[in-house]
Amino acid sequence: MTRPIDLYDVTLGYDGHPAVHHLSGAFAPGSLTAICGPNGAGKSTLLKGVAGALKPVGGRIDLHGLTARDIAYLPQAADIDRAFPIDLYDMVALGGVQKQGLFGRISACAAVGRAIEAVGLSGFERRQIGALSGGQTQRMLFARLMVQDASVILLDEPFAAVDARTTGDLLAIIAGWRAEGRTVLAVLHDFALVRAHFPQTLLIAREKIAWGPTSQALSDENLALARRMSEAFDEAAAECERAA
Amino acid sequence: MRAGGVMYDLFIAPFVEFAFMRRALAGALALSLSGAPLGLFLILRRMSMSGDAIAHAILPGAALGYLVAGLSLPAMTIGGLATGFAVAMLSGVVARWTTLREDASLAAFYLVSLALGVVIVSLRGSNVDLLHVLFGNVLGLDDPTLMLLAAIATATLAGLAALYRALVIETLDPVFMATTAGRGAFAQLAFLALLVLNLIAGFHALGTLMAVGLMMLPAAAARLWTERLDAALALSAALALAASYVGLVASFRLGLPSGPAIVLSAGALYFVSLVFGRAGGLVRFASRRRHLEA
């Protein structure tokens, strides 16, 4: 079930301060889009909005009938209690909750094994999650995303604390998702990586700077503009007068 | 056979000879089966302080029931439920909407509840009644109280089974819970409800001051032996039962107050686990100087 995600003049924020405002456009079904911009540009906030974890202050996000079950979201530095007594296999199997819910039978054993193998963690099934390295943890979370089997996948800085080799392996998984026709949105900071692996880019700095093919979106002028916009943040900003 | 005879006299005879000991053991069984697994989730959710605060919050309500109806099971239960739930809700509200961290407000609730409860009981009752309320009366469990404990244990085990996946996910990865299954707040509420019910049960048997003991100590001990949640849950209940048994025997043989004897036994199990526990005890850390090749 691949459908577009349309943004109509979307404003998202906290306590009345918009993190990103008046954003319009569409993520095409099956597209692979990098979301770039300076710190505080509203990238994570936008992802939370699409994930349904944050209601827009204004505007509308049209998922065309996609529900929470169709969207998998991997937050930045996932807030996981690593001291919790659970092993890697069970953690990955929890991805089954996406489709089966809290009471349905999670019998996706084959899918769990496949996902663990795909992220290169075979042999670690019975390892406690607290004993995994940062890179292994991220691989495990990607395996859980695979089990979630969602048609839309949202990744917030998935390579933030991960070495080059792991990044390469995870990028291959993302490419696989694209080949399967899933829509992938990833917040990223590494422009070289974005240019090499992400066909589409949305560049934001509290509002849209550019959205389109990566080579055009990440032009020098656009990047300079994004930097200027982010420096114009004003704590005592007046109310936004732009028509909603 | 002589040794067997001594063991029989020591550990079996009291329960064969005295109905009140059998009742106490049955009550402790109910408390152990449901309270200790719940305590394990309290620990995993880092809510040990909440457990303590809610246990104390039961006191003023139960005391009001006492003021109205004397040592009446329904009156004290209803009163305790009311104030227990109130503080469980209030502590969440205070943590979310004021600048105080949750532990500070819990300590405040705890102190005020205890003081208020003691004052209310003293308005009408004797020191004996006060001791009863503070330390329970596990050797004096009557039929209705035993039925209540058994009903609460049954409901709790059924509830935990239904909530299990939700509680695990909500504790382990709340954002994942919110974005996949939702209902995190419901799981939290249902868990608090089970907690209050079990603290009521604990209150009747062990009193305000000791109720949390049989919930937390075996759970903390179990966590030190295994890294598997299912094993830890079963072990916590088993340890709670063992502590109850040993505590009751000690109380019978040595004339100790029974509630504190049970909690002391649980405490002894906890300290042994703290030193020798395979999954995080002191000896394990001390003996791991040499590490593996890979």
Side-chain angles (χ1 to χ4, degrees), chain A residues 65-82:
Chain A
L66 290 173
T67 66
R69 293 232 160 149
D70 304 307
I71 301 174
Y73 169 55
L74 182 63
Q76 185 180 357
D79 184 19
I80 291 167
D81 180 358
R82 286 164 59 88

Side-chain angles (χ1 to χ4, degrees), chain B:
Chain B
M1 277 319 291
R2 260 199 75 72
V6 171
M7 295 304 278
Y8 177 87
D9 282 350
L10 208 53
F11 290 108
I12 312 283
F15 300 98
V16 173
E17 285 167 30
F18 298 101
F20 72 87
M21 288 294 281
R22 287 198 294 278
R23 293 172 161 283
L25 194 60
L29 173 68
L31 281 182
S32 303
L33 281 180
S34 66
L38 214 54
L40 188 59
F41 274 107
L42 264 187
I43 290 175
L44 293 175
R45 296 171 71 80
R46 297 186 170 76
M47 286 172 59
S48 309
M49 278 293 289
S50 309
D52 220 15
I54 296 169
H56 287 78
I58 287 169
L59 183 60
L64 277 176
Y66 170 81
L67 199 61
V68 174
L71 286 174
S72 135
L73 180 69
M76 292 176 76
T77 300
I78 290 166
L81 280 176
T83 48
F85 276 121
V87 166
M89 297 301 119
L90 218 59
S91 67
V93 169
V94 167
R96 194 165 299 178
W97 284 304
T98 73
T99 54
L100 273 186
R101 292 289 292 259
E102 194 168 17
D103 64 335
S105 49
L106 288 175
F109 284 134
Y110 163 121
L111 291 163
V112 173
S113 305
L114 186 58
L116 189 61
V118 168
V119 166
I120 295 174
V121 173
S122 306
L123 283 181
R124 168 166 163 176
S126 63
N127 282 339
V128 176
D129 286 347
L130 188 58
L131 278 179
H132 178 114
V133 167
L134 291 180
F135 295 105
N137 188 17
V138 69
L139 296 183
L141 296 176
D142 55 13
D143 280 348
T145 312
L146 266 186
M147 291 299 289
L148 180 69
L149 297 196
I152 288 176
T154 309
T156 302
L157 287 178
L160 268 185
L163 283 175
Y164 187 70
R165 195 184 289 168
L167 272 180
V168 166
I169 301 175
E170 225 266 318
T171 309
L172 170 66
D173 190 347
V175 175
F176 181 71
M177 179 77 176
T179 52
T180 54
R183 303 215 189 90
F186 172 78
Q188 164 91 354
L189 269 179
F191 177 73
L192 282 175
L194 292 181
L195 182 63
V196 173
L197 279 175
N198 275 269
L199 287 168
I200 288 278
F203 166 78
H204 286 305
L206 301 171
T208 299
L209 297 184
M210 297 289 134
V212 190
L214 198 55
M215 193 177 271
M216 303 299 304
L217 290 169
R223 180 69 186 90
L224 289 163
W225 288 101
T226 175
E227 276 167 342
R228 293 184 43 147
L229 183 55
D230 46 1
L233 287 167
L235 185 60
S236 68
L239 289 176
L241 191 59
S244 306
Y245 190 84
V246 172
L248 283 173
V249 169
S251 146
F252 182 80
R253 290 291 166 196
L254 306 173
L256 305 176
S258 46
I262 289 173
V263 173
L264 270 181
S265 307
L269 284 175
Y270 170 69
F271 284 115
V272 169
S273 309
L274 204 53
V275 176
F276 297 106
R278 283 194 301 120
L282 293 172
V283 170
R284 181 175 182 243
F285 282 113
S287 67
R288 272 215 302 198
R289 289 279 152 70
R290 293 173 62 85
H291 61 93
L292 304 172
E293 190 68 43

Side-chain angles (χ1 to χ4, degrees), chain A residues 195-213:
Chain A
R195 288 195 177 101
H197 299 278
F198 288 75
Q200 299 285 315
T201 295
L202 165 59
L203 179 64
I204 53 176
R206 304 186 55 246
E207 60 185 279
K208 181 167 75 183
I209 305 292
W211 194 345

Side-chain angles (χ1 to χ4, degrees), chain A residues 115-230:
Chain A
I116 291 173
E117 197 184 336
V119 300
L121 286 177
S122 296
F124 288 88
E125 285 85 353
R126 293 301 158 207
R127 191 74 65 97
Q128 289 288 308
I129 61 164
L132 299 173
S133 72
Q136 288 169 335
T137 302
Q138 203 66 0
R139 285 170 188 267
M140 169 184 76
L141 294 175
F142 266 65
R144 189 174 70 179
L145 285 169
M146 295 176 82
V147 174
Q148 285 179 253
D149 190 26
S151 57
V152 177
I153 298 172
L154 311 174
L155 308 168
D156 198 348
E157 299 200 27
F159 312 127
V162 163
D163 67 14
R165 187 171 152 215
T166 304
T167 301
D169 290 352
L170 298 182
L171 277 169
I173 290 169
I174 292 175
W177 286 334
R178 189 187 175 212
E180 289 166 354
R182 302 178 202 271
T183 309
V184 181
L185 281 58
V187 170
L188 293 164
H189 279 295
D190 182 342
F191 292 139
L193 186 148
V194 171
R195 288 195 177 101
H197 299 278
F198 288 75
Q200 299 285 315
T201 295
L202 165 59
L203 179 64
I204 53 176
R206 304 186 55 246
E207 60 185 279
K208 181 167 75 183
I209 305 292
W211 194 345
T214 297
S215 55
Q216 292 164 29
L218 292 185
S219 68
D220 291 342
E221 307 90 83
N222 283 340
L223 291 177
L225 180 57
R227 211 169 306 123
R228 274 206 308 283
M229 297 288 293
S230 72

